[in-house]
Amino acid sequence: MNISVRNAARLAGAGLRALLVLTVVCGVIYPLVVTGLAQLAFHDKANGSELKVDGKSVGSGLLGQSYTLDKKDKDGNPLPDPKFFQGRPSAAGPNTENTQYKLLVSGASNLAADSKVLLDSVKQRRADVAAFNGVSPSSVPVDALTASASGVDPDISPEYAELQAGRVAKANGLPADKVEQLVKDHTDGRQLGFMGEKHVNVLKLNIALKELASGE
């Protein structure tokens, strides 16, 4: 009986020591080492690809955001600001679960390709984008008409950015050629030269646009 008790106590002590060691190693030392290495080697990415202007955070390069006026349309939706480049449409919905925070829930519409609702929304977006930018509906690229799977795509195609350049230049009182050059300067190529498509980060482009408009 005494031997069994001593064995049980010894095993319990070994288990407790293992628990304490693993807690310190896995719960303290490992996270600190990984966090430290991430901050040293990938500082921007480890902090959410945060973009700052004059020391103030203006968003993440990985998340799209809206650029709207205080005015709203007949349906109660904020009107887009003509002074800024606009991103892709979004099907992200309001946060209805944890109402403590005011956020958008990332996601797609999940409408089928033959959905009449999707077809009607694409037609309406084509008309709205064409009218807003003063161009022909046939010149509106597909990424201006369809929402991304996440609803927070930070990028648009160079074609969509170029389509908006004239409107943006006029609204900001800037030469069109300078705004067009700004788009070219902020067009990123395919990853590794063959993955994905050429794209323009809307937030980075608008930051540069604001600097150009202010004469900085």
Side-chain angles (χ1 to χ4, degrees), residues 22 27 65 68 135 137 161 181 183 193 198 207 211:
L22 289 174
Q65 55 181 277
T68 58
V135 298
Q181 186 60 49
V183 171
K198 292 182 179 180
I207 291 174
E211 292 176 353

Side-chain angles (χ1 to χ4, degrees), residues 92-116:
N95 170 31
T96 57
E97 298 298 326
N98 188 348
T99 55
Q100 179 181 355
Y101 302 100
K102 186 178 180 181
L103 338 139
L104 284 178
V105 179
S106 173
S109 66
N110 291 328
L111 295 173
D114 59 353
S115 166
K116 186 179 184 302

Side-chain angles (χ1 to χ4, degrees), residues 28 57 72 79 93 154 165 169 190 202:
V28 180
S57 176
K72 296 184 178 181
L79 293 171
R190 295 180 174 87
V202 180

Side-chain angles (χ1 to χ4, degrees), residues 14-190:
L16 181 60
R17 288 193 296 274
L19 174 63
L20 292 174
V21 170
L22 289 174
T23 298
V24 172
V25 172
C26 299
V28 180
I29 296 176
Y30 176 75
L32 287 176
V33 171
V34 171
T35 301
L37 290 175
Q39 289 295 328
L40 288 174
F42 310 102
H43 179 74
D44 292 336
K45 293 181 180 179
N47 289 290
S49 299
E50 185 180 29
L51 298 178
K52 295 184 178 181
V53 175
D54 297 328
K56 181 181 178 181
S57 176
V58 294
S60 168
L62 301 177
L63 299 174
Q65 55 181 277
S66 58
Y67 303 88
T68 58
L69 300 170
D70 292 332
K71 300 178 181 179
K72 296 184 178 181
D73 62 17
K74 58 182 176 60
D75 297 321
N77 300 312
L79 293 171
D81 192 336
K83 290 186 176 182
F84 292 98
F85 287 91
Q86 300 294 321
R88 294 184 63 180
S90 174
N95 170 31
T96 57
E97 298 298 326
N98 188 348
T99 55
Q100 179 181 355
Y101 302 100
K102 186 178 180 181
L103 338 139
L104 284 178
V105 179
S106 173
S109 66
N110 291 328
L111 295 173
D114 59 353
S115 166
K116 186 179 184 302
V117 175
L118 177 61
L119 181 60
D120 289 344
S121 67
V122 167
K123 288 180 178 179
Q124 186 60 54
R125 287 168 183 166
R126 185 189 297 276
D128 292 342
V129 171
F132 184 55
N133 290 282
V135 298
S136 168
S138 62
S139 66
V140 179
V142 67
D143 61 309
L145 307 176
T146 56
S148 66
S150 67
V152 290
D153 192 343
D155 304 321
I156 57 176
S157 66
E159 292 77 17
Y160 188 25
E162 290 166 0
L163 179 143
Q164 301 184 65
R167 181 256 303 163
V168 169
K170 183 178 179 180
N172 286 282
L174 294 169
D177 59 334
K178 286 192 175 182
V179 177
E180 290 169 359
Q181 186 60 49
L182 204 64
V183 171
K184 292 179 181 178
D185 292 342
H186 287 79
T187 298
D188 297 318
R190 295 180 174 87

